[in-house]
Amino acid sequence: MADSTAQLSRSRDLDKLLLRSGHLVGPNFEPGPELRDDLQQYARVLVVGAGGLGCELLKDLALSGFRNLEVIDMDRIEVSNLNRQFLFRLEDVGKPKAEVAAKRVMERVSGVNIVPHFCRIEDKELEFYNDFSIIVLGLDSIEARSYINAVACGFLEYDSDDNPREETIKPMVDGGTEGFKGHAKVIMPGVTPCFECTIWLFPPQVKFPLCTLAETPRNAAHCIEYAHLIKWDEVHSGKTFDPDNPEHMQWVYSEAVKRAELFGIPGVTYSLTQGVVKNIIPAIASTNAIISAACALETLKIVSGCSKTLSNCLTYNGAEGLHTKVTEFVKDKDCLVCGPGVLIELDTSVTLQKFIDLLEEHPKVFLSRASVTHRGKNLYMQAPPVLEEMTRSNLNLPLFDLMDKIPKDIIHVTGTTSKSDKKMSCLRKLRVVFKGIDGVTDMDTAGGV
Amino acid sequence: MAEPKTKYDRQLRIWGEQGQAALEKASICLLNCGPTGSETLKNLVLGGIGSITVIDGSKVEVGDLGNNFMVDDSSVAKSKAKCVCAFLQELNDAVKAKFIEENPEALIETNPSFFSQFTLVVATQLMEDSMVKLDRICREANVMLIFARSYGLTGFVRISVKEHTVIESKPDHFLDDLRLNNPWPELKGFADTIDLNVTDPVVHKHTPYVVILVKMAEEWAKSHGGSLPSTREEKKEFKELIKAWMIAMDEDNYKEAIEASFKVFASRGISSSLQQLINDNCAEVDSSSSDFWVMVVALKEFIANEGCGEAPLEGSIPDMTSSTELYVNLQKIYQAKAEADCLAIEQRVRNILKKIGRDPDSISKTSIKTFCKNARKLTVCRYRLIEDEFNSPIQPELQKYLTDEDYSVAVGFYILLRAVDRFAANYNSFPGKFDGEMDEDISRLKTTAVGLLSDLGCNGSTLTEDLINEMCRYGAAELHAIAAFIGGVASQEVIKLITRQFVPMSGTFIFNGVDHKSQLLSL
Ligand SMILES: [Zn+2]
């Protein structure tokens, strides 16, 4: 009987979930010891970020049946991390977060292997990311999220009916916190909205108009930003401001104090100066724990099928009472990152010039002054002048030839479009299909990312 | 040791030095240090809680290594409380950490006075009868209590405190206290000195919206028999009137005025929730009343007298397009009024203290100032005794939950979390604990749940087979990710209770780890 061994096994509790059948489970759930073993042997999880969320995620995943984990983070440990990044101690300050975090979890949870990567996420080959069953994001930057999202969505391929090919879907679980609030999101590229589909959820960062800083400062933050963005450059011509240099910060602080005195504005403190200049987001252990736990749980569910999954975004707010909410966001079907792109059928004789003209009229595109790129190669560029000149001769050539006679492929175009009388620059992903070409069964839609 | 200010920087930005000081003074008792309890304490120890006492009578088993990060291979067969305590101490040497190797349930039975030494007790994975007993003990001793439990993919968190009053509730979105439609003489006088007809475009576009709206509201009231815009038509008209003053398209101050015009439409006087609070029974004070209620009485008197129906002015203004000079002057006018209001409240506080036989200076000026600044946001939370909830849940709420689709899974888990304790009391083990008894346990649990529902006055209500089956599948497993979530929630609530900042959760939080549609049940 499994009972007696289960009591002695470290997966005593997890086995209940993985070995027993249930009614509220994922469609592909196949309970049994093989599932537990597969999770240990074959599932590979990448944790992006080894900060407040990353430390928790590594622990949670290591105790959720995963044994092959990797973590990537470019930062080193700072004293102000210690109130929540529980894998770090005072003597670790200055060491790479990824390395220390990996080591600590391996020390405590035997059988787990964690490979740390102390580098920028952009430093890795794209194929590095394709190696994982799932990617879990514990980041505080929108740019980094966008990057990983674009990479994961780049692996996505669509079949000829515009349905995502299941084997190319790279699931992501994204977590984020601020103070007592946080979110956890499950992203199945091509199925549920990708990060870019719902980027509007992130409010734009408040930036003060320069004229306010220069002429009509009203509060302490205005005085600080004046010292940081205007006065620094006036005084230190050429020297870039380094927010991690305490002397630089001290200088900004004392200039801000002077300015505040001049205008009779109260409230400039060193702590506020740091907060404004570094755009510090308050962070606490408990919220990181909650959000990471939700992300790790969803990771386990997606990989094992042992339960239904979050569909698709959880928000948690503990600031006023306790509120949790699940929102099912919908995919932006025209999303340039995760969508299949707009389908355009062409004759093989159509020239690049004619193609560009056609985009201006196309009801789904409406793009004027288009620049065209195919698999990273510039076919025609409107600017700068040097590039325009270099690519001008392509305009009279058939697009089919320029695309190396590939019958179906992705083209990226940038140009301007008019939305309610406002001109906006935009990027579009197009699927170009040439009519009357035989032997076309497959297409590679991953090109160009 | 690291400079605590740097170490705690990211949290000081949330609860400030006062909140931090409260945490550092607090002593926490944890009952049972499985993953739910350990994770709760971990988050508190990192934040610099004063002291912790870990109580658990069990030895570490191999199974514990799979769900609890605070124990490792070398801990097997050792005291769990000791191992967990040692790891927690490693996280923060500023925290006083100790452990007692004793069964919490036995401690509740034999030594109830033990708990009175703590600020707050975190009771995890307790069975129903121990919860009820501990609740009575802590209520009697005036010790704050939080229950937390993880069970398969579900669990709950429940606060039990007789009364928790919050001055600094720090709501996210709260209407500024600008008095645009009810200006005091100094504000009105200041607005009168400014001419909106000014021809200098630079001056025109730097007139703060507060001044614009005070003037426009006054004008409107004059021509409308003292009343403010109330219908949709009137509000639209009011906005058009503001727009008509613009002399250029780029006048942000006028755009802000149009956007902020709803602040003019808001009714004068105090909110209904504040009205309710000052009418509370506790607002009859005697020498045993807390500082909070003494100040509420002063507030009540203030509103009825010199406040003319308004609470003391908050005294701060949001950033707005303005010349520096006008903005700073405006700020001073608001501050001066806030200080005057605060002084009036202080007088009243001192008098009340004298009347109830307390030292008139026993409430500090700083406390009174904080109280005044937050007077519109005061919050009182009260929690039923767990025994009362268990024996007589609020019927209309329970009926609503049982029939409302949004609540059906959460209330199902609530019933089943209680049913498994009854089950365990009857059959000496939780349902689904052993693989071989699954089918039998499912039908037994169903019978137990139906019996519980009928005891709660819900005859005829049933739970879905899926959920009962799911609960048996869990077999009382304490999964790490669930424990980390529940422990995270519990620690966040502990922080709110101890710092007396932000509003703690009400009711019982039922975690739904299946699809995350968790709910708060007020029973
Ligand atoms: Zn997308």
Side-chain angles (χ1 to χ4, degrees), chain B residues 40 51 133 138 235 265 278 287 299 327 350 412 432 435 446:
Chain B
T40 308
S51 72
K133 284 176 193 150
C138 289
K235 289 175 181 176
F265 313 147
I278 60 176
S287 58
L299 172 65
Y327 186 82
R350 308 271 176 244
D435 289 343
K446 188 176 176 180

Side-chain angles (χ1 to χ4, degrees), chain A residues 149 153 193-197 331-332 335-339:
Chain A
N149 180 67
C153 291
C194 81
F195 179 70
E196 220 65 42
C197 290
K331 208 168 55 130
D332 174 0
C335 178
L336 299 166
V337 179
C338 69

Side-chain angles (χ1 to χ4, degrees), chain B residues 17 30 74 84 115 123 169 171 173 175 188 212 214 217 234 237 295 336 392 400 406 470 503:
Chain B
E17 283 174 36
L30 171 70
S74 69
V84 167
F115 297 99
S169 59
H173 305 284
L175 195 60
K188 195 183 161 312
I212 297 171
V214 165
E234 286 175 333
E237 193 189 332
M295 291 191 279
S392 52
K400 185 186 89 187
D406 288 343
E470 185 78 354
V503 181

